[in-house]
Amino acid sequence: MSRGNTRQRIQDVALELFAEQGYEKTSLREIAERLDVTKAALYYHFKTKEDILDSLFQDLAAKPTTDLIAWAETQPSTLETKLEILRRYSQAITGAAPLFRFMQENQATMRDLKIGDHMKRRIFDLLDLIRDNDAPLVDQVRCSSALFTMHASLFTLQHSDVPLEEKSKAALEVAQELVTTAHRGSEGASHGDLPRTEKKSA
Amino acid sequence: MSRGNTRQRIQDVALELFAEQGYEKTSLREIAERLDVTKAALYYHFKTKEDILDSLFQDLAAKPTTDLIAWAETQPSTLETKLEILRRYSQAITGAAPLFRFMQENQATMRDLKIGDHMKRRIFDLLDLIRDNDAPLVDQVRCSSALFTMHASLFTLQHSDVPLEEKSKAALEVAQELVTTAHRGSEGASHGDLPRTEKKSA
Amino acid sequence: MSRGNTRQRIQDVALELFAEQGYEKTSLREIAERLDVTKAALYYHFKTKEDILDSLFQDLAAKPTTDLIAWAETQPSTLETKLEILRRYSQAITGAAPLFRFMQENQATMRDLKIGDHMKRRIFDLLDLIRDNDAPLVDQVRCSSALFTMHASLFTLQHSDVPLEEKSKAALEVAQELVTTAHRGSEGASHGDLPRTEKKSA
Amino acid sequence: MSRGNTRQRIQDVALELFAEQGYEKTSLREIAERLDVTKAALYYHFKTKEDILDSLFQDLAAKPTTDLIAWAETQPSTLETKLEILRRYSQAITGAAPLFRFMQENQATMRDLKIGDHMKRRIFDLLDLIRDNDAPLVDQVRCSSALFTMHASLFTLQHSDVPLEEKSKAALEVAQELVTTAHRGSEGASHGDLPRTEKKSA
DNA sequence: GATGAATGAGGCTTCATTCAT
DNA sequence: GATGAATGAAGCCTCATTCAT
């Protein structure tokens, strides 16, 4: 019956509960009960509670974000690259939505967790690829905001009627618009026409 | 020395610790020790742990946001009004920064707390005053994003060198820009002069 | 009923159980049950399990041994002094018999405990006051043996019929004899005949 | 490589860890990990944790001590015999040093272990062969002390610079001296002045 | 206005052991 | 000859809360 899949099942249930209730409020007892297994069984598969979370991070978020950053670092720092970074990041987030939701909503907790540091570093790396450190503060905020928009729009608000994918698409659009504006700004320059990001969707 | 101000001191320390470490990870023991007082003393001033948090909310966030919403509801739903809402909200946030930071970073926890509901309601009220429910999804995301931008820019990122007030100002600017874009979009078409917030950085 | 004496009662029961069963095999649950109190109550009075043991050490063994060493350091390093050290140490041990028995029988455990170090240091201090570092190995062993004799004779063997005080006295006597022999040896001296330790009593 | 020797390797590692850390604090997990084997493998070779210890006792200590006692029982109860017993016991101890060290340092634990009883019996048997039950208490303590001296001198003190064998030799010498003194005393008989050790305290 | 003492619930973790394969 | 998976018991500890004083 419970063949080799227990580890996976633990991860599934844990992610669900962590995302739903938060890390602290989810006890190993609860996870175990949900799986009809003893707490000790969890410890056969994972060394600590934090380890369960770490494994989720490794399995769901580590590779995509690492790959994205690696790819981005080989690209020229053009607007097109930045927009593509956002698009790919949007995909990464959507592909591991519950985990990213968890991170959004448990930031205080994350500060003492290994994955807190990991993620922080990665997000800063992304940010650095998107923004220009010499640009005016407003432009930098635009870029941060681009990232937060994607995080927050998906999880914080529950336009429950709208499917995730549409929200994701809309968030990406707004994020790209923000980065475009920032990019245009830091380039200095005069160009008659506005960054009509809306064109894309037209 | 510690005359009638113990209640206040409890609030101060609690807010500091809640913001720094999160709600769950801050124990009453810790608060009491910091004040050189017994846990039981806390219970003389507050009925429960959650009560301490609620009192902070009442004292720091309730009035400003309630007032803001009340005021906003008496205004016409013009772009100017919306921009003013953002400005005032920016002030409210900055005036109670640690508390808002706490909310940002403890969203999962907030879900089971009274003030979680309170704040959620208020933010949705604000959102409703800013966005047009019939507008395209992208515009709605712009408006949400405006709010999140103000929340997130202040607390999540540590441009530690930049003073809070400048960050606050920049965030407001981006937020207003987002709402302006959204507004322009939902109004359909023709409007002679854009609220070119970008001018400032020019 | 349980007025201010709970702390004391915890110590009493703990010492009894630690001595009887060993440190690891005595659980806080057991101590609590014996006192008809909850485990949490123990934690009101002591920060950790180890703390209970430490407090016993402080209350029963620290002062006597510290005093003894302090006194001994003010004395000349004569045989009389050494014999008096043994006498006083014998008293210290007998006065805190269960604790010393505990130490004897839980040496492996003591290695990871704070009091392990403390006691080790103290015993080595005593040893240094009794033996001569330049003396032949045999004499050094005599001195160590003197100390061990007092420890071991009291607790390891259960001549259950013989009262503690007589055992204590006999052990002291043997210990003093050993140190006397050692002392005579290190004093140089020429004695054609074998180290007839027996001479001493002649 | 690891042919039929796994059982042996388990014993080796277990003895090392038991002696180093104590019985309770050494877990089967730790032993298994050191051997790069699963805990379950240990159970193929031994029925319980205690069984591992017992096997060590059987393989290292049982035969030598049994033989020693058997031999001693065939001998006349002269001083020479006693001194020879000590010599042989010294060899036994030195030959299984880690195991004897373990016993020394885990006496509390040994009380609930099968080998605790075994060893206790054996040591008492030895003691009975060495001492005279009708002798004065002091002489009996001398004999116990002789045994303890050999145990303790080897393991408790770390004259780390002195090689084990020299310590062993010195300890044996002191032990023999103690027994000699005791023997001369219990022989009662005619020697002008008794070993009136009590004089000292007079 | 606050303390001292205690509780009950529950947290994470570790252990020796089992058993089907 | 050994593993993989799991269990049940128990360990230490922390927490929010209560209440008599």
Side-chain angles (χ1 to χ4, degrees), chain C residues 49-60:
Chain C
K49 184 185 181 185
E50 190 175 346
D51 240 47
I52 300 180
L53 183 57
D54 284 345
S55 80
L56 288 168
F57 174 69
Q58 292 303 336
D59 291 4
L60 300 179

Side-chain angles (χ1 to χ4, degrees), chain D residues 74 122 191:
Chain D
T74 69
R122 276 175 164 76
H191 24 5

Side-chain angles (χ1 to χ4, degrees), chain C residues 115-125, chain D residues 156 158:
Chain C
I115 93 166
D117 254 40
H118 287 187
M119 271 319 276
K120 206 176 167 185
R121 252 196 292 276
R122 273 174 166 79
I123 298 213
F124 271 83
D125 285 348
Chain D
T156 304
Q158 250 75 333

Side-chain angles (χ1 to χ4, degrees), chain C residues 48-166:
Chain C
T48 74
K49 184 185 181 185
E50 190 175 346
D51 240 47
I52 300 180
L53 183 57
D54 284 345
S55 80
L56 288 168
F57 174 69
Q58 292 303 336
D59 291 4
L60 300 179
K63 190 161 185 315
T65 55
T66 303
D67 287 355
L68 170 49
I69 290 166
W71 171 84
E73 278 166 348
T74 70
Q75 300 303 114
S77 184
T78 65
L79 177 56
E80 280 68 39
T81 297
K82 293 176 181 176
L83 300 181
E84 178 64 16
I85 289 175
L86 292 178
R87 176 159 32 244
R88 293 187 181 203
Y89 190 52
S90 171
Q91 265 175 19
I93 288 178
T94 316
L99 185 56
F100 279 89
R101 179 186 167 202
F102 169 81
M103 291 170 181
Q104 251 283 303
E105 299 184 343
N106 290 268
Q107 289 174 64
T109 295
M110 298 266 293
R111 270 205 289 279
D112 315 305
L113 262 31
K114 261 185 283 175
I115 93 166
D117 254 40
H118 287 187
M119 271 319 276
K120 206 176 167 185
R121 252 196 292 276
R122 273 174 166 79
I123 298 213
F124 271 83
D125 285 348
L126 274 180
L127 206 49
D128 280 339
L129 289 163
I130 275 177
R131 78 175 170 198
D132 176 353
N133 272 312
D134 301 329
L137 187 57
V138 192
D139 283 325
Q140 307 217 22
V141 170
R142 278 190 186 95
C143 291
S144 311
S145 189
L147 257 29
F148 298 146
T149 293
M150 294 200 291
H151 288 159
S153 296
L154 289 186
F155 315 123
T156 304
L157 289 188
Q158 253 69 338
H159 305 265
S160 43
D161 45 339
V162 181
L164 181 73
E165 277 169 30
E166 284 194 39

Side-chain angles (χ1 to χ4, degrees), chain A residues 31-106:
Chain A
I31 296 176
E33 268 168 14
R34 221 33 165 224
L35 291 167
D36 208 45
V37 162
T38 48
K39 271 178 293 168
L42 306 185
Y43 279 89
Y44 176 77
H45 293 281
F46 299 95
K47 261 209 322 250
T48 75
K49 185 185 181 185
E50 190 176 344
D51 239 47
I52 301 181
L53 183 56
D54 283 346
S55 80
L56 287 167
F57 174 68
Q58 292 303 336
D59 291 6
L60 300 178
K63 187 160 188 314
T65 55
T66 302
D67 287 356
L68 169 51
I69 290 167
W71 172 84
E73 278 166 348
T74 69
Q75 299 304 113
S77 182
T78 64
L79 178 57
E80 279 69 40
T81 297
K82 293 175 180 177
L83 299 182
E84 178 63 17
I85 289 175
L86 291 179
R87 175 160 33 243
R88 293 186 182 205
Y89 189 52
S90 170
Q91 267 176 15
I93 289 178
T94 316
L99 184 56
F100 279 89
R101 180 188 166 199
F102 169 81
M103 291 171 181
Q104 251 282 303
E105 299 183 342
N106 291 268

Side-chain angles (χ1 to χ4, degrees), chain A residues 25 112 142 145 149 177, chain B residues 20 25 112 142 145 149 177:
Chain A
K25 297 230 296 290
D112 315 304
R142 278 190 185 96
S145 188
T149 293
E177 176 182 301
Chain B
E20 228 167 64
K25 295 228 297 290
D112 318 298
R142 279 191 185 95
S145 188
T149 293
E177 177 183 301

